[in-house]
Amino acid sequence: YNDGRSGTVYIPFSDGGNGNYVATDYAPFMGCDTSSGFTVSYFQRVNGSLWTDKETITLAQGTTGENKYFTIGTEGYIRFNNGNGGSDSSLSSAGLYFDYTTQNGSLVKGKWQYVTVSIISDYHFKVYIDGALSADVTVTGTDNYASTGGLLNFLASENTKLYYGSYTPYWGTDTISLDNVKCFDHALSSSEAA
């Protein structure tokens, strides 16, 4: 499949728990020092039109039913679930889950864009689109979830693998193309993300 770039990954549309994904069997942050945060960056082109609540990148543990994942959505949202918080309200209230679902207005369909998500701490991340800061988010209401490992410890686990597309029981994928996926062992600064 040639979509204007060489060496791309093409993922077709899926919905709900029938997510399409490419498993890498790679734990990109395994054993990394969490004190400097982490970053995931990639080129994305949305080829379809059903991109709401769809996944581009998933970092997950175990089977999809274990509900342990961090996802970056095609429209720019961020989800972290450290053990069924998405469907169990008691776990959500205990702070095992957060969901930043604001659509990122800088992302568009049908165009290659460079997405960078800098995870600064368990509660703070920045999203850059084509090198420009597009979202600076501090997640609130999750004071207790760090006691279960927290986001950075979750990402640094040898069991947390990288998937292209949706490796969750809830969300699908839009028809997307990915290229040049990179994982950094620190949160990129604005000058590094540019």
Side-chain angles (χ1 to χ4, degrees), residues 71-87:
T71 62
I72 303 170
T74 307
E75 67 205 83
Y77 63 78
I78 307 290
R79 286 192 170 101
F80 174 55
N81 190 340
N82 196 6
N84 205 28
S87 61

Side-chain angles (χ1 to χ4, degrees), residues 16-19 21 58-69 81-88 91 97 154 163 166-171:
N18 301 310
Y21 60 87
T58 307
L59 289 139
Q61 293 180 6
T63 66
T64 58
E66 291 181 57
N67 300 297
K68 293 187 176 185
Y69 56 80
N81 190 340
N82 196 6
N84 205 28
S87 61
D88 185 331
L91 290 178
Y97 179 75
F154 175 86
Y163 297 84
S166 178
Y167 187 75
T168 77
Y170 305 111
W171 322 111

Side-chain angles (χ1 to χ4, degrees), residues 15-52:
D15 199 15
N18 301 310
N20 287 332
Y21 60 87
V22 175
T24 69
D25 199 34
Y26 176 59
F29 304 116
M30 178 177 63
C32 290
D33 179 6
T34 61
S35 64
S36 298
F38 300 121
T39 300
V40 178
S41 67
Y42 51 91
F43 282 94
Q44 163 183 290
R45 188 176 79 181
V46 180
N47 302 312
S49 60
L50 300 171
W51 69 338
T52 302

Side-chain angles (χ1 to χ4, degrees), residues 106-117:
S106 300
L107 288 165
V108 297
K109 300 173 188 174
K111 174 185 174 185
W112 280 107
Q113 292 182 286
Y114 191 58
V115 179
T116 302
V117 178

Side-chain angles (χ1 to χ4, degrees), residues 103-176:
Q103 182 168 324
N104 193 311
S106 300
L107 288 165
V108 297
K109 300 173 188 174
K111 174 185 174 185
W112 280 107
Q113 292 182 286
Y114 191 58
V115 179
T116 302
V117 178
S118 284
I119 305 155
I120 299 160
S121 73
D122 284 338
Y123 304 97
H124 186 198
F125 54 88
K126 294 183 179 182
V127 180
Y128 300 87
I129 307 299
D130 294 327
L133 182 64
S134 183
D136 185 345
V137 179
T138 299
V139 179
T140 58
T142 57
D143 290 342
N144 297 322
Y145 96 86
S147 65
T148 69
L151 174 57
L152 293 175
N153 285 339
F154 175 86
L155 293 174
S157 169
E158 65 183 22
N159 299 316
T160 302
K161 308 292 181 160
L162 173 65
Y163 297 84
Y164 305 144
S166 178
Y167 187 75
T168 77
Y170 305 111
W171 322 111
T173 55
D174 198 353
T175 305
I176 58 172

